[in-house]
Amino acid sequence: MLPDPSAVPPSVRLGSGAGGLPVIWVTGRAGSAEIYLHGAQVTAWAPVGAEPVLWMSAASRFAAGAAIRGGVPICFPWFGNHPQDPAAPAHGFARLVSWELAEAEEAGDDVRVSLRLRDTAATRSSAWPHRFEARYTITVGARLTLSLRVVNRDPVPVTIAEALHTYLRVGDIRSTTVGGLEGTAFIDRLAGPGLRPGESGPVRFAGETDRIYVATSATTTVTDRAAGRSITIATSGSHSTVVWNPWAAKAAALTDFGDKEWTGMVCVETANLGGSAVRLAPGSGHTMTAVLDVS
Ligand code: TA6
């Protein structure tokens, strides 16, 4: 549960959100955000004076054991379906369990919130029996900085895949492009395995799009012509980027995704997966960071 409310600065409030789930509301001098302890999921962020940047489905579930549809889900310690265990949850367990609020402090005009997840009975399974500690630091201000640090507390080396599965709000996906990945090879998850050569222009959307760009640490720019704004995502400690829009049929097939909502979102995910999955020796750690900026 949430710690003593007096332990947090006045720009941070603790309470119950949708589904009665514990939530942290941040109202800083430079930006505001909403963070659920469930999955340590940032579900809203806006710089002061700007439109909301993160997309949320109106049909999202808010319940233990279910993923929240929107904001920034954390995919960890695997991405997509578990490679061996079909019963294991898609994208790992991190977004399905409750994290602890470790610290909340003001830093100039920003507000920094730190959440923690350690291995428990809820995380240990045949799919992932390992000891670990994750620390997720969210800095809310004119930009949003998300930093996920994972430490291997097991006596054996482990390999992790991870993603900050960021849902961005756009005016219309059909007039939105994603720049920064030009010339970068990618796996088209709709066309099966195998690497496709990079393309010369930005990513454009004319149908369901589900691509894993491998071996890239590029800063990406989402240019949203309909809304007249750009969102950039700069990264560190990330060597894969995933770009996804479900389009109409896939959106209609998802029960927690409104049938018409697909036109208003794009996922640009800061990740380490496949060939850039991270191998951690006992006691060692790795940090992956995404910084979102709006102009
Ligand atoms: O990141 C793209 C993706 O892997 C898609 O294949 C789609 O499954 C999406 O994630 C959403 O997955 P979810 O388990 O949240 O429905």
Side-chain angles (χ1 to χ4, degrees):
M1 271 312 284
L2 292 168
D4 173 5
S6 67
V8 298
S11 52
V12 175
R13 280 193 306 115
L14 312 174
S16 287
L21 295 177
V23 68
I24 302 166
W25 287 292
V26 174
T27 309
R29 282 190 288 276
S32 62
E34 178 183 72
I35 306 163
Y36 278 78
L37 292 192
H38 181 66
Q41 195 140 339
V42 182
T43 49
W45 167 61
V48 167
E51 290 297 307
V53 179
L54 301 180
W55 176 90
M56 273 294 299
S57 171
S60 178
R61 288 189 290 270
F62 289 88
I68 295 172
R69 177 69 67 188
V72 186
I74 297 174
C75 303
F76 172 83
W78 62 85
F79 183 87
N81 295 325
H82 186 275
Q84 284 87 34
D85 181 351
H91 290 325
F93 51 70
R95 64 178 180 168
L96 302 176
V97 295
S98 188
W99 292 52
E100 293 175 301
L101 174 58
E103 287 158 30
E105 59 187 356
E106 293 178 358
D109 287 344
D110 293 345
V111 181
R112 192 171 301 130
V113 173
S114 181
L115 304 173
R116 182 175 54 217
L117 180 68
R118 290 195 181 102
D119 59 282
T120 64
T123 68
R124 282 191 291 270
S125 68
S126 55
W128 183 266
H130 302 298
R131 310 292 313 274
F132 73 94
E133 180 169 349
R135 178 64 71 104
Y136 188 42
T137 303
I138 303 154
T139 305
V140 177
R143 56 177 56 162
L144 178 69
T145 300
L146 305 170
S147 198
L148 178 65
R149 177 163 180 75
V150 175
V151 178
N152 176 7
R153 297 289 187 217
D154 226 43
V156 298
V158 296
T159 299
I160 62 166
E162 55 188 354
L164 298 174
H165 195 296
T166 304
Y167 284 80
L168 298 170
R169 182 187 284 221
V170 297
D172 189 337
I173 189 63
R174 294 163 292 199
S175 59
T176 293
T177 58
V178 176
L181 299 166
E182 292 81 356
T184 304
F186 63 94
I187 296 165
D188 180 342
R189 297 186 82 201
L190 306 174
L195 216 44
R196 291 169 178 270
E199 297 172 337
S200 55
V203 185
R204 299 180 186 285
F205 302 86
E208 182 181 357
T209 305
D210 193 349
R211 297 179 169 188
I212 297 175
Y213 288 83
V214 297
T216 176
S217 301
T219 293
T220 50
T221 299
V222 175
T223 302
D224 175 0
R225 195 147 55 84
R229 80 173 175 182
S230 292
I231 302 166
T232 60
I233 300 174
T235 73
S236 66
S238 160
H239 299 283
S240 316
T241 294
V242 182
V243 177
W244 180 59
N245 181 283
W247 222 253
K250 182 70 171 285
L254 293 167
T255 55
D256 61 345
F257 202 121
D259 291 1
K260 300 192 182 330
E261 290 184 321
W262 58 275
T263 61
M265 55 70 67
V266 66
C267 282
V268 178
E269 305 160 37
T270 304
N272 285 304
L273 49 97
S276 68
V278 178
R279 187 160 175 76
L280 294 176
S284 71
H286 180 272
T287 300
M288 177 173 75
T289 300
V291 181
L292 279 65
D293 238 324
V294 188
S295 60

